[in-house]
Amino acid sequence: MDEQKLQTLKTWVNEAKRMVFFGGAGVSTESGIPDFRGVDGLYHQQFSDPPETIISHSYYLRKPQVFFDFYRRRMLYPDARPNIAHVKLAQWEREGKLLAVVTQNIDGLHQKAGSRNVYELHGSVHRNTCRRCGAKYTLEEFLTLGELPVCRVCGGRVKPDVVLYEESLDPATVEGAVDAIRRADLLIVAGTSLTVYPAAAFLDDYPGSRLVLINKTPTPRDDIASLTLHEKLGDVFARL
């Protein structure tokens, strides 16, 4: 690891008063949750249809049995536990240094670690809603509703509150995330390939001069960063 870069990051974290963390799938891989684009990710595995097709809105409507089977087996990790990155971010929030976490993940691990101000761009597996009557279900409750989850109140279809392909991001969540990024004095972007839009474009809303990118491989936005570390996130956060 580049010790000079690490020391610079330590200094910036110590000086920060309104830090924002923007994270992707790489934040949770060290908790045992596979990403999509990595070597062992979902995009490199064989399924009846491409994963991005299966978790699309139209596929959910057309083949709900296949969708929910894939969703349960490949996207739910109820036993996953927060790792050092989740824990450290929650600590910084308690200390008043961290303004917000903006995440592309749907696993709820930031909240499980203790973070409170979290903008979940792609929703959460921990929230599930009946499409007919609006009844709400936790993840634990959702898992008891059958292969095709049926609402106990009205018999309607229960859908996870996750943003599928072909669906739009929640406007209020986007507004909150962008507002936090615009107010940040340090923006740490980690564990994301920065290839999924519109989320990747959020970096353009950061007006400051301390933009840090931490990812095992280079990203298309490395050229705009003030500091880049091509390392495992856990290795970096263990040193902060």
Side-chain angles (χ1 to χ4, degrees):
M1 189 177 300
D2 189 315
E3 292 298 325
Q4 187 172 354
K5 286 186 176 183
L6 183 65
Q7 190 56 51
T8 298
L9 178 56
K10 282 184 179 180
T11 299
W12 288 359
V13 167
N14 289 335
E15 293 175 350
K17 293 182 174 63
R18 298 184 312 281
M19 190 191 326
V20 170
F21 179 86
F22 180 105
V27 178
S28 293
T29 52
E30 292 174 58
S31 291
I33 299 177
D35 62 9
F36 274 65
R37 292 173 176 80
V39 175
D40 299 317
L42 291 178
Y43 285 174
H44 292 274
Q45 299 178 28
Q46 296 298 314
F47 302 103
S48 58
D49 292 295
E52 61 267 39
T53 299
I54 297 175
I55 52 175
S56 67
H57 182 77
S58 56
Y59 199 97
Y60 157 78
L61 294 175
R62 194 172 68 251
K63 296 184 178 181
Q65 192 88 38
V66 180
F67 169 86
F68 279 109
D69 181 60
F70 179 90
Y71 178 76
R72 280 193 181 83
R73 290 191 297 115
R74 301 295 182 176
M75 300 185 70
L76 296 182
Y77 294 86
D79 297 326
R81 293 290 175 261
N83 60 54
I84 181 65
H86 300 106
V87 172
K88 184 72 73 171
L89 290 165
Q91 173 193 323
W92 288 340
E93 184 182 34
R94 289 194 301 273
E95 293 171 352
K97 297 174 63 65
L98 184 79
L99 195 60
V101 169
V102 180
T103 180
Q104 296 172 290
N105 297 336
I106 59 175
D107 51 50
L109 289 180
H110 285 292
Q111 289 92 333
K112 193 174 285 189
S115 289
R116 302 179 70 175
N117 197 25
V118 182
Y119 293 99
E120 296 173 304
L121 297 176
H122 297 155
S124 172
V125 299
H126 294 278
R127 298 187 298 272
N128 303 274
T129 305
C130 174
R131 308 302 283 177
R132 182 186 296 169
C133 74
K136 303 290 185 181
Y137 295 90
T138 64
L139 173 57
E140 291 73 24
E141 292 168 337
F142 171 84
L143 292 172
T144 68
L145 299 179
E147 290 186 9
L148 286 177
V150 175
C151 177
R152 295 198 184 107
V153 178
C154 73
R157 172 74 50 77
V158 175
K159 179 182 179 293
D161 291 355
V162 299
V163 180
L164 305 178
Y165 284 96
E166 304 167 353
E167 295 181 342
S168 300
L169 302 184
D170 174 62
T173 303
V174 170
E175 183 179 352
V178 170
D179 179 64
I181 288 171
R182 286 174 177 164
R183 292 191 288 134
D185 59 6
L186 169 61
L187 177 60
I188 299 178
V189 181
T192 172
S193 60
L194 291 174
T195 57
V196 177
Y197 283 80
F202 288 9
L203 274 62
D204 298 326
D205 288 291
Y206 175 60
S209 59
R210 293 183 172 183
L211 170 58
V212 180
L213 294 186
I214 307 172
N215 201 52
K216 286 195 292 186
T217 57
T219 79
R221 308 306 302 276
D222 280 11
D223 59 321
I224 70 167
S226 320
L227 186 67
T228 59
L229 290 93
H230 295 145
E231 308 283 350
K232 286 179 63 177
L233 185 59
D235 292 344
V236 174
F237 267 59
R239 303 277 302 278
L240 294 178

Short mmCIF file of all heavy atoms in Angstrom, two decimals, residues 45 55 96 141 209:
data_model
loop_
_atom_site.label_atom_id
_atom_site.label_comp_id
_atom_site.label_asym_id
_atom_site.label_seq_id
_atom_site.Cartn_x
_atom_site.Cartn_y
_atom_site.Cartn_z
N GLN A 45 -21.55 -15.64 -13.83
CA GLN A 45 -22.15 -16.94 -13.58
C GLN A 45 -23.22 -17.23 -14.64
O GLN A 45 -23.70 -16.34 -15.32
CB GLN A 45 -22.77 -16.97 -12.18
CG GLN A 45 -21.75 -16.74 -11.07
CD GLN A 45 -22.39 -16.71 -9.69
OE1 GLN A 45 -23.41 -17.33 -9.47
NE2 GLN A 45 -21.77 -15.98 -8.77
N ILE A 55 -33.39 -9.33 -13.11
CA ILE A 55 -33.77 -8.34 -12.09
C ILE A 55 -34.20 -7.03 -12.74
O ILE A 55 -33.90 -5.94 -12.25
CB ILE A 55 -32.65 -8.12 -11.05
CG1 ILE A 55 -31.31 -7.80 -11.73
CG2 ILE A 55 -32.52 -9.33 -10.15
CD1 ILE A 55 -30.22 -7.46 -10.72
N GLY A 96 -19.56 12.88 14.82
CA GLY A 96 -19.94 14.14 14.19
C GLY A 96 -19.08 14.53 13.00
O GLY A 96 -19.14 15.68 12.53
N GLU A 141 -40.10 -11.29 7.63
CA GLU A 141 -41.50 -11.57 7.31
C GLU A 141 -41.67 -11.95 5.84
O GLU A 141 -42.41 -12.87 5.50
CB GLU A 141 -42.37 -10.35 7.63
CG GLU A 141 -42.48 -10.06 9.12
CD GLU A 141 -43.08 -8.71 9.41
OE1 GLU A 141 -43.02 -7.81 8.53
OE2 GLU A 141 -43.61 -8.53 10.52
N SER A 209 -12.25 19.93 -3.07
CA SER A 209 -10.95 19.57 -3.65
C SER A 209 -10.39 18.29 -3.03
O SER A 209 -9.22 17.95 -3.27
CB SER A 209 -9.95 20.71 -3.44
OG SER A 209 -9.81 20.98 -2.05
#
